[in-house]
Amino acid sequence: DVTEARRAEQKMQRQHRMLEAVRAAQSLYISNERNLAVFDTLLDNLLKAGESEHGFIAEVHGHDADSGVNPSVGLPRCVVLAPQAGGDRTIKPGTGLLDRALREGAPLVHNEPCSTTGLEQIGGWPATTRNLVVIPLIVDRQVQAARGSLR
């Protein structure tokens, strides 16, 4: 079927763009003294490859030593690496969708309109979001980073 073949080709092209974005970011990170600027470039490339409007890359700090992926006492805080917004880039823990993804340590897909994502603190992030995807990066049973985007 022609439609099926076209979808498969489009999927392969998206995957290629994602891999190219990661490769370019690795090259920049190795050769760049201001490594934080690399995250903006990576985010831009990932947003283009995924055809997303907004996104973020955040590093997770403040784990309880015994908490693992699911902290039992409080939530870790996130520091936004990209976009490089002015001012405080720390996302405070709360009850939003980002907190849920960090607490569960699993990808989150939310397709309904929502104004309590936990991401409203990021400069330029829309007040109400729809089609949000958050992907946590887990190392040694702890969430170390998260990437999110919205279409």
Side-chain angles (χ1 to χ4, degrees):
D1 182 46
V2 174
T3 304
E4 212 172 287
R6 181 174 166 88
R7 285 185 188 143
E9 176 66 26
Q10 289 173 335
K11 182 179 178 183
M12 198 163 54
Q13 287 174 353
R14 276 193 306 274
Q15 289 173 339
H16 177 74
R17 287 192 305 262
M18 290 285 199
L19 289 172
E20 182 58 29
V22 171
R23 185 205 60 77
Q26 286 176 328
S27 296
L28 278 172
Y29 191 81
I30 291 167
S31 65
N32 192 336
E33 290 180 20
R34 284 194 62 236
N35 288 329
L36 280 178
V38 172
F39 291 107
D40 273 336
T41 302
L42 175 61
L43 179 62
D44 287 342
N45 289 335
L46 290 172
L47 292 176
K48 287 175 192 170
E51 300 174 358
S52 299
E53 296 174 25
H54 298 282
F56 71 94
I57 298 173
E59 185 176 24
V60 178
H61 295 272
H63 289 286
D64 182 2
D66 298 321
S67 67
V69 173
N70 300 307
S72 57
V73 181
L75 288 169
R77 63 186 172 85
C78 291
V79 176
V80 176
L81 301 176
Q84 291 290 313
D88 186 11
R89 297 189 335 238
T90 301
I91 298 175
K92 310 293 187 285
T95 59
L97 294 174
L98 175 61
D99 298 306
R100 184 170 127 198
L102 295 177
R103 205 173 38 250
E104 295 174 1
L108 175 128
V109 178
H110 190 80
N111 292 317
E112 299 298 319
C114 181
S115 59
T116 58
T117 61
L119 300 163
E120 296 80 18
Q121 303 165 53
I122 298 175
W125 193 268
T128 301
T129 62
R130 184 183 183 103
N131 302 327
L132 174 69
V133 176
V134 177
I135 302 170
L137 170 67
I138 299 170
V139 177
D140 294 331
R141 298 192 37 164
Q142 287 193 341
V143 178
Q144 301 295 321
R147 175 208 176 260
S149 61
L150 111 91
R151 278 189 150 174

